[in-house]
Amino acid sequence: MAATTHDPLETYRTKRTADRSPEPFGRTWRGKGHLFVVQHHAARRLHYDFRLELGGVLLSWAVPKGPSPNPADKRLAVQVEDHPLEYAAFEGVIPEGNYGAGGVIVWDRGTWLPIGDPAEGLDTGKLLFELRGYKLRGRWTLVKTRKSPKDWLLIKETDGYVLDGGTADLPADSILSGLTAEVIKARHNPAKQIAGKLKRLRVPASAVSPTRTRVMLAQSGKPFTKAGWIFEVKFDGYRLLAGRTDNSVTLYSRAGNDLTATFPEIADVVRALPFDQLVIDGEAVVHDEEGRPDFGRMQKRGRLTRREDIERATVDLPVTFYAFDVLGLEGHDLRALPLTKRKQLLRDILPSVGPIRYSEHVKTHGEALYRQAQHLKLEGILAKKSDAAYRAGRSPDWIKISLDKTDDFVIVGYTDPKGTQPEFGALLLAQYEGDTLVYAGRAGTGFTRAEQRAIGEQLQRASATKPPRGAEMDSDTHWVKPDLVCEVRFKNVTSDGVLRAPVFVRLREDKGPEDCVRETIELELAGPPPAPSSTEKDVHLTNLDKVFWPDEGLTKGDLIAYYRAISKWLLPYLKDRPVVLVRHPEGIEGKSFFQKDAPAFAPDWIRIERIWSEHAAREVRYFIVDDVETLTYIINLGTIPLHIWSSRMATLERPDWCILDLDPKGAPFPHVLKIANAIRRLCKAIELPCFLKTSGSTGLHILIPLGQTYTYEQSRTLGELLANVIVHDLPDIATVNRRLGDREGRVYIDYLQNGHGRLLVAPYSARPLPAAPVSMPLNWSEARAGLSPTKFTIKSAIRRMGSLKADPLESLLTLKPDLFAALEKLSRRLRS
């Protein structure tokens, strides 16, 4: 609907001011993504309003037939006037006599992420974006037609979120109230129907207070299959009792804390439900990119206190409340009803999808659900007796069956704090084998700030001691007398006895170090899981004729063919290593973008690993390219260059190499060659091997093997020392000044790329430059006059490698030089 001088929200705002409740979902929508909302409008004609937040307003299109997740449906979308951001939360009736009179529901909402420059897309008439909503997901395009400046087509792109049935496959009800636009327009009151059901069930008329109700708890147990029981997913989040009495809404934690202001998106849905009184039991979670509950993200969200931060988080870290029980409804106490009857009533009153979701269950077959939970890497399952009443406290009628293992460990040390961490970074753990303490890994998450301060104070007072057997010797580790004991949750144990995904649970003051005995545990081999058979790895290639290099006439198909042909030499440098893509969907003359996160629609057979990013304050989902099928898949995304970490997943903090990047930026290339050979002579003098490759652009890369033996800090120190020696010897042509204006025509020796998460263009990687050059490994004999850094291209690289007897960089991944001996020789050289 078009915006008019009359504001249809006026009655709504007046009501909210009267009850002093907060505006729904916040008002500013500042976040990493942008807000999108789809409202279904039962006016004179039914239609959908599709709205994208950009520039502080909602860009709006009227879509008569609604967004369709079927790419075959090209839906007309007529652009109308921009709407204020507040309109994104409007649901209700626009009174007769006003423009657009009728019922309006929030049919879907979420975040949208533009692919490319959205302003340019709007100007050129083609806007590509990704939607992350409750109903609409994946990639979409708005394309302007030639009929009218306001006429666009809204089209679903082909990906994993396609539905053949179109809009009809999606729920018609509101994600807030669970009502349809027609029901709201007719002012139908569903509470009357529910009241009739409660009367037939003879439920006692007695209101349940969410603030005075104690929750029901589960006992621990093992998987089983049994008639008369139902089984639910066990969510890893915050247990909440959501209550409403008239216009007052409260969210209370299991410990009795009021979290209503912390999770406004949940409170607003409770307020939107068409009932005057209810109490719902459930679990609030934050999902990761693959849709699994992520307790770390939930903790981050739950710790926010500033209103502005919470408002941003409703977009960046939205909470979903999984409702699994209803205790009170419309002044009736349901707790004495059998569980399955309570759950049926709960299903009847909740929206089909949205911020509040009904927690599904299966009957009888608990072991089958447990196996599925294992496959999906969930926290566990809950078993509940079908006919059980709801009783406060721990009960054998509810049984929790967890997937993660827990055990007790001696705290034998700690690491230095990083970033905003107080006191320490991680706890170093061990257990006894006989009389010997054996290292078990480090736990760096799960602490509250208060716990970190309290434990840190105890560790600072502890006396130093020698490390346990098998300990990792890093410069940031400190070993203490083994007095403290803690409980740790973990996924499994690697073949060398180190915990996988350990999370601190609590201190165990009731146990002594002697109680922490290593038991025989089923060990899990480190590294990637077994690859599925090649028949499962289908890669659907697209747009092979699209020209990527116009001057050379090279296509996307040529690029894919190159990478497949070079894969036997390239894959050893990609395996088990985080990869960052630079995508050029329109070729080298079009827009490009970095992509760290693997998209949610990536096939299941592709290996994806999560790594915490301090900069982004979240986990990043990295592609791991272990085979030619995965390589083909990511190149088919329009990827040209591949950027890689210097370390592998198995040894993430211990790089394979130290890099010196010789960047001329206008300096003569012969100077680059002279500096490269000077570095080689210096390394030879201190008995340090080094290797050479072109960058594929204007410079050279020198790589010094480290054999996964040294830290990033040590790697950077080595690079800095070598660079400064060369600058001292060749001050007229070499510099370590990073700013271009300070280089004065000299070659920049960049050693700063030696760090956690810093990237290197992979050997054999193509570059998005004219002639399609590649980053080519070289023999040192080739570092002479006549060499050009762009000499090798995707046309010539295969021939070159076929003619060489071996990969010039082959030993880079296996050599383990004595870095300390080399540094001692370098130190003697500097002193002399």
Side-chain angles (χ1 to χ4, degrees), residues 120-182:
E120 182 177 334
L122 291 166
D123 289 340
T124 59
K126 185 175 182 180
L127 180 62
L128 182 66
F129 50 91
E130 180 185 349
L131 294 181
R132 298 179 181 177
Y134 295 102
K135 299 178 183 179
L136 304 180
R137 305 282 293 177
R139 291 168 295 151
W140 297 70
T141 305
L142 273 166
V143 182
K144 188 176 286 187
T145 72
R146 297 180 181 178
K147 292 182 179 180
S148 163
K150 294 184 177 181
D151 286 356
W152 298 65
L153 295 177
L154 178 60
I155 306 169
K156 179 73 185 75
E157 297 290 320
T158 301
D159 57 22
Y161 296 102
V162 167
L163 295 175
D164 293 337
T167 311
D169 280 353
L170 301 173
D173 59 324
S174 162
I175 63 169
L176 306 183
S177 64
L179 304 178
T180 64
E182 295 95 330

Side-chain angles (χ1 to χ4, degrees), residues 619-641:
E619 285 184 326
V620 175
R621 301 171 66 252
Y622 285 95
F623 279 115
I624 308 295
V625 183
D626 290 332
D627 51 52
V628 69
E629 291 86 3
T630 303
L631 177 63
T632 303
Y633 177 85
I634 64 174
I635 302 304
N636 186 61
L637 294 175
T639 304
I640 295 181

Side-chain angles (χ1 to χ4, degrees), residues 6 13 77 82 220 226 240 424 735 742 783-784 804 829:
H6 169 75
R13 285 201 191 95
D82 300 344
S220 297
K226 189 174 183 181
L240 294 180
F424 61 87
T735 181
D742 296 335
R784 61 179 186 272
L804 291 179
R829 173 190 168 95

Side-chain angles (χ1 to χ4, degrees), residues 202-354:
R202 299 182 179 180
V203 179
S206 175
V208 179
S209 169
T211 60
R212 293 195 296 269
T213 300
R214 291 177 58 227
V215 298
M216 188 167 177
L217 301 172
Q219 297 181 356
S220 297
K222 296 181 179 181
F224 63 93
T225 297
K226 189 174 183 181
W229 288 76
I230 66 169
F231 299 87
E232 302 170 339
V233 169
K234 185 176 185 293
F235 295 102
D236 197 5
Y238 285 10
R239 179 84 173 271
L240 294 180
L241 279 182
R244 174 176 174 178
T245 304
D246 297 324
N247 288 322
S248 176
V249 171
T250 54
L251 304 178
Y252 272 82
S253 72
R254 171 179 160 182
N257 298 317
D258 188 343
L259 300 180
T260 313
T262 306
F263 305 122
E265 65 267 58
I266 305 303
D268 287 319
V269 178
V270 176
R271 188 177 291 109
L273 291 173
F275 304 98
D276 293 329
Q277 187 275 327
L278 53 81
V279 178
I280 297 173
D281 193 359
E283 192 93 358
V285 306
V286 175
H287 295 110
D288 64 15
E289 288 83 356
E290 293 187 358
R292 286 192 291 262
D294 186 321
F295 190 72
R297 299 183 192 203
M298 188 67 210
Q299 279 187 315
K300 180 179 178 181
R301 177 66 199 276
R303 291 168 181 165
L304 299 178
T305 55
R306 294 177 64 245
R307 180 177 177 179
E308 295 82 359
D309 295 336
I310 292 170
E311 287 176 347
R312 282 195 294 270
T314 61
V315 178
D316 296 338
L317 291 170
V319 170
T320 298
F321 182 64
Y322 284 92
F324 49 70
D325 215 328
V326 56
L327 316 185
L329 184 59
E330 294 299 87
H332 291 75
D333 187 345
L334 312 183
R335 288 176 290 184
L337 285 177
L339 171 61
T340 49
K341 291 189 181 298
R342 297 198 308 272
K343 290 205 68 172
Q344 183 57 55
L345 287 166
L346 180 63
R347 182 191 286 274
D348 291 343
I349 67 174
L350 292 182
S352 301
V353 296

